[in-house]
Every structure is written in structure tokens, then in C-alpha cells.
Amino acid sequence: SQTIHQWPATLVQPVGSPLSLECTVEGTSNPNLYWYRQAAGRGLQLLFYSVGIGQISSEVPQNLSASRPQDRQFILSSKKLLLSDSGFYLCAWSGGGQDQPQHFGDGTRLSIL
Amino acid sequence: LAKTTQPISMDSYEGQEVNITCSHNNIATNDYITWYQQFPSQGPRFIIQGYKTKVTNEVASLFIPADRKSSTLSLPRVSLSDTAVYYCLVVLSGGYQKVTFGIGTKLQVIP
């Protein structure tokens, strides 16, 4: 069966520091991959998605970037974190065929001090 | 993308059936209706997906009328562990899916 892993589960970073969140998927090949951010009490905001290695599309211009160095690895990065980058970051994957819902990891709670 | 509207919150007693209705008036022909459940500090969990009529799995049922402008998620005999936020989404099937999660419906199950 397919599984998705995100780490770390929680992270506290100072303003201006770099960021790297990693997401990996097991048990499937060539998944579509997604990064979301969820602010407290809000819905999920799609940040990036990828349909293949090296293919990244950004939905919201901001202080973050994403990379997909391997088929089942998706990385969210920042060179300099802002206070507004605090939130709950979620990675998801979906198959490429019809009727393929997205499946989410357990998220990373990022706090910027 | 079809916009969805669902109640912000609902309360239910344990053991009751809960129905959460979502409206999606501008759903397109190729869109599917998908429901997710989210507990605090966890990622959303896929519950059920359907295109028309009725879909049932071990967790829930999804009722979709002929015009597909609304859908109802039915949770049989809820327990305290069903307290969560439930999201209704309209998703274009196949390939990359650009979906929009609203604030969902916060279901509180009362003992």
C-alpha cells in the first residue's frame, strides 16, 4: 500500500533562517505531489504542485520554493523565513488516473520566532 | 473551479446519524465530489468520492442528486471519535488536481 511521510512533525525557527521540509511517498510511482499550508482555523492553501521530476508549478508567489529531485520526493524550502511563514504545512500525493483523490501526510507545524 | 458551500459547524449526539450537505451550484460535467475528514494537527483523510447517485463504503455514504448541484455526506451512528472538520471538494478527475479547501464543517459529537 502507499504511504506518505513528512518530517519533521514540528519545527521552531528564527526569522531569517532557512527552511527545508521533506516529503516522501512509498508504494507508487510517478505520483502528483502537492504542498499546502493551513493557517489556524482556515482551509488549506495550495502552494506548489508537481506532476513529475523537476516539474514544479507555483500557485502563490511568496517566500517559499519547492523541488522534486526524485520521483517520490518533494521538498519545500526557504532561504529566509518570515514571521508570516508560520503555519501547518501539508504534503499530499495523488495518482494520475481518473478518480484519484489526494492523500495527505501528517503535516509539519512550523513556528517562526 | 466549482465553489462549495457547507455549514460551518454541526453538533450531534453519539449514536445518531449525521448528514452534512454541501452545495456546488457550478459543478462541471467532469467534476467529482470528494469528502475529507481532518483531526487537529493531522492531515486531511480521504473519506469518500462520487460522481452521481449514491456511493457507500465502510465509513460513510455519499448521496448526489441528479442535478449534482449538492451532495450529502452521511455518517451512520457517530461516535466521539468522529469529532472533526469535514471538507467537501469538487475535483476535476484525472491527472493534476487543483482543489480548493474551504474552512469545512466542524462536527462536534456530544456524549
Side-chain angles (χ1 to χ4, degrees):
Chain A
S1 63
Q2 302 89 358
T3 56
I4 180 169
H5 303 281
Q6 271 187 259
W7 64 92
T10 59
L11 188 61
V12 180
Q13 292 284 98
V15 171
S17 65
L19 173 74
S20 180
L21 301 180
E22 189 163 343
C23 171
T24 59
V25 180
E26 296 177 358
T28 187
S29 59
N30 196 32
N32 297 322
L33 297 172
Y34 311 80
W35 277 111
Y36 290 86
R37 177 169 59 201
Q38 185 174 33
R42 307 283 298 273
L44 279 69
Q45 179 188 37
L46 179 63
L47 302 175
F48 301 95
Y49 69 91
S50 171
V51 298
I53 296 174
Q55 301 178 60
I56 309 294
S57 295
S58 173
E59 288 295 312
V60 183
Q62 54 200 310
N63 186 41
L64 301 169
S65 62
S67 62
R68 184 170 178 174
Q70 300 180 42
D71 181 45
R72 291 169 289 175
Q73 184 184 29
F74 206 21
I75 298 172
L76 183 69
S77 305
S78 174
K79 293 182 179 178
K80 274 187 162 183
L81 285 168
L82 306 173
L83 284 174
S84 58
D85 291 324
S86 291
F88 190 44
Y89 288 83
L90 290 154
C91 180
W93 74 273
S94 70
Q98 282 191 328
D99 311 337
Q100 298 295 311
Q102 293 184 25
H103 301 277
F104 288 80
D106 286 333
T108 296
R109 178 76 59 190
L110 175 63
S111 299
I112 309 299
L113 303 179
Chain B
L1 295 174
K3 181 181 176 182
T4 60
T5 303
Q6 53 184 120
I8 293 175
S9 65
M10 293 180 69
D11 292 337
S12 176
Y13 288 102
E14 266 192 302
Q16 288 188 330
E17 177 185 75
V18 171
N19 295 309
I20 305 174
T21 297
C22 176
S23 64
H24 25 79
N25 292 319
N26 59 340
I27 189 169
T29 302
N30 293 329
D31 288 342
Y32 279 73
I33 299 152
T34 308
W35 286 80
Y36 287 83
Q37 174 193 56
Q38 186 179 27
F39 298 111
S41 298
Q42 293 186 24
R45 183 176 72 98
F46 169 76
I47 300 176
I48 197 166
Q49 178 171 282
Y51 184 80
K52 61 180 179 180
T53 61
K54 177 183 175 182
V55 179
T56 298
N57 61 23
E58 65 278 6
V59 177
S61 295
L62 178 60
F63 299 92
I64 305 168
D67 67 5
R68 304 198 328 122
K69 292 183 183 300
S70 67
S71 59
T72 298
L73 175 72
S74 181
L75 304 172
R77 298 180 298 282
V78 294
S79 63
L80 295 177
S81 62
D82 293 317
T83 294
V85 177
Y86 292 83
Y87 297 96
C88 165
L89 287 80
V90 172
V91 183
L92 181 65
S93 70
Y96 154 66
Q97 303 165 357
K98 182 172 181 177
V99 302
T100 301
F101 282 78
I103 61 173
T105 297
K106 186 170 183 179
L107 172 65
Q108 180 68 52
V109 179
I110 307 165

